[in-house]
Amino acid sequence: MLTPDYLYRITEGAEQIASELHEYIIRQIVDRMMIRIGRGESYLLTSSDRWRIGVLQDSGYLIEDIAEELAKYTKRQEKEIKAAMEEAGVKALEYDDKIYRAAGLSPMPLTQSPTLIRLMERSYNATLREWRNMTRTTAQAAQRLFLNECDLAYNKVMSGAVAYNTAVKEAAEAIASGGVYVNYPSGHKDSVEVATARAVRTGISQAAGDIQIARMMEMGYCNVLTSSHLGARPTHEIWQGGIYSVDWYKLKERRPELFANLSSSITLERDNKYPDFIETCRYTYVDGICGANCRHHFSVYIEGMNNPFEKYDSKESKELHEREQRQRALERRVRKTKREVMGLQEAVEKCQDEAAKFELQQTLDRKSYLLSRQNKAYSDFCKQNDLRPLQERLQVAKWSREQAAKARGAARRYSSSKGDTA
């Protein structure tokens, strides 16, 4: 059994690596942007052919740099995901094996079971493959963003639509605020760190679930006990903290690989005393237990065991879920603005044209002031709703004390300029 808090925190290492990658990509785009458009108006207004050749060359260097860095981040992520999955697998079976031993059985340790190890490796490879796909598309998105913003700035100045300083400011702000995202087929998009956390949490949960189900087959048990937590999704709240029975025929239809090494002498039957685990809790479905971003888990259940999980009031649970969803939204807003501030700090530092640098500094001051207001709004919301502020959820990679101090100074300048004494 993996607890909700454990599944929430198990992704922190992978998420941090992805956050560092996102920050690196934004800095690289801003650096290339300032090389190309931050030298002054006379440099920008070259012939269109020379401009396009230069931009394409820079985009090539950009994608090469990102690809080289991606290889380093992927090696780190491989180790992180593997370690997290192994830890979760050991922890999940440790809980279940205590139950089996109490029933007089002798389960084999995870490290000595080729079948369970293969199931873990399968989940690890699938999760790592998803990470690689995400980062590959992220690198391509970074190159497109650079090309689009360079062309847009050039065309704005050439057409006389805006002044050079404004074009530089708008381009840098667009990159810093837009960032790079993972796009899903549904049309939904997430930052690479949010997408990574979801993929790793889901992969770990599914991997642990797979080996627990395989162990149940070995031991000849079919019933499970699901975990519960206050603030669960409304669709999960109805089945959390309950006892269910696995319909092995339905499971085999959906996950035949779990049965590949099952001894022919083992007979699996469902216990009709309890609801079906597959259909009720939606096990193996993306919207069910151990599905996308789910923090519920389960353990084997042997008749007569105590059920330690609480049944929560539906209204109370729904209200907390809504408050926590709002808290997550405020956290995402703060992280996004921090990345914008970091990108603009980079642009101010690298811009060579003094007039354009001044425009960028004004934008940075305004954005830093917004960040200070968002931090206050987050603290106030947590206090008013009796929620624990999760400062680690407000962090982004490379956000140093120096950068935080610069942001506070910029916010104070903007506040003073607008006469805000709040």
Side-chain angles (χ1 to χ4, degrees), residues 107-267:
M108 182 185 296
L110 172 61
T111 54
Q112 296 177 24
S113 172
T115 299
L116 300 188
I117 289 173
R118 278 195 294 272
L119 288 174
M120 289 289 291
E121 287 176 344
R122 180 181 175 277
S123 295
Y124 164 72
N125 289 329
T127 304
L128 191 60
R129 187 162 54 248
E130 187 170 355
W131 156 262
R132 286 172 174 153
N133 288 339
M134 285 191 300
T135 52
R136 183 174 61 252
T137 57
T138 298
Q140 293 165 350
Q143 187 180 44
R144 285 195 302 271
L145 182 60
F146 170 77
L147 288 169
N148 290 342
E149 291 304 325
C150 279
D151 284 347
L152 186 58
Y154 178 79
N155 289 328
K156 283 178 179 178
V157 176
M158 286 294 287
S159 66
V162 298
Y164 163 75
N165 296 344
T166 303
V168 173
K169 180 198 73 172
E170 289 178 352
E173 191 172 11
I175 289 170
S177 63
V180 285
Y181 290 88
V182 175
N183 293 297
Y184 296 93
S186 64
H188 180 73
K189 67 177 184 178
D190 278 321
S191 65
V192 66
E193 53 267 44
V194 171
T196 296
R198 178 183 292 111
V200 173
R201 181 176 296 113
T202 304
I204 286 173
S205 183
Q206 290 177 347
D210 283 351
I211 62 174
Q212 286 174 270
I213 289 290
R215 174 56 53 85
M216 287 171 62
M217 294 179 187
E218 291 176 1
M219 298 292 104
Y221 284 90
C222 62
N223 296 336
V224 300
L225 173 65
T226 62
S227 65
S228 67
H229 63 90
L230 190 62
R233 304 176 204 174
T235 53
H236 290 195
E237 191 270 337
I238 58 175
W239 49 252
Q240 66 175 353
I243 302 167
Y244 304 90
S245 189
V246 179
D247 187 321
W248 300 105
Y249 295 101
K250 288 180 182 176
L251 182 61
K252 190 172 184 178
E253 288 178 2
R254 296 193 57 79
R255 301 293 303 281
E257 67 276 7
L258 295 177
F259 295 75
N261 297 289
L262 184 65
S263 170
S264 58
S265 63
I266 296 177
T267 302

Side-chain angles (χ1 to χ4, degrees), residues 295-349:
R295 291 190 290 131
H296 285 101
H297 209 68
F298 64 91
S299 71
V300 64
Y301 176 80
I302 296 178
E303 204 67 40
M305 278 176 51
N306 290 327
N307 182 348
F309 295 105
E310 293 184 54
K311 289 288 186 180
Y312 296 105
D313 177 75
S314 295
K315 184 171 183 271
E316 181 187 8
S317 188
K318 181 180 178 182
E319 288 173 351
L320 178 60
H321 176 72
E322 291 172 351
R323 291 197 301 273
E324 289 182 337
Q325 289 297 98
R326 176 58 180 163
Q327 185 183 22
R328 298 292 88 78
L330 292 173
E331 290 163 357
R332 288 193 296 271
R333 189 174 71 170
V334 169
R335 291 198 303 270
K336 182 176 184 294
T337 304
K338 277 187 177 178
R339 281 195 297 270
E340 293 173 14
V341 168
M342 290 172 68
L344 289 167
Q345 286 176 343
E346 185 78 7
V348 168
E349 181 182 336

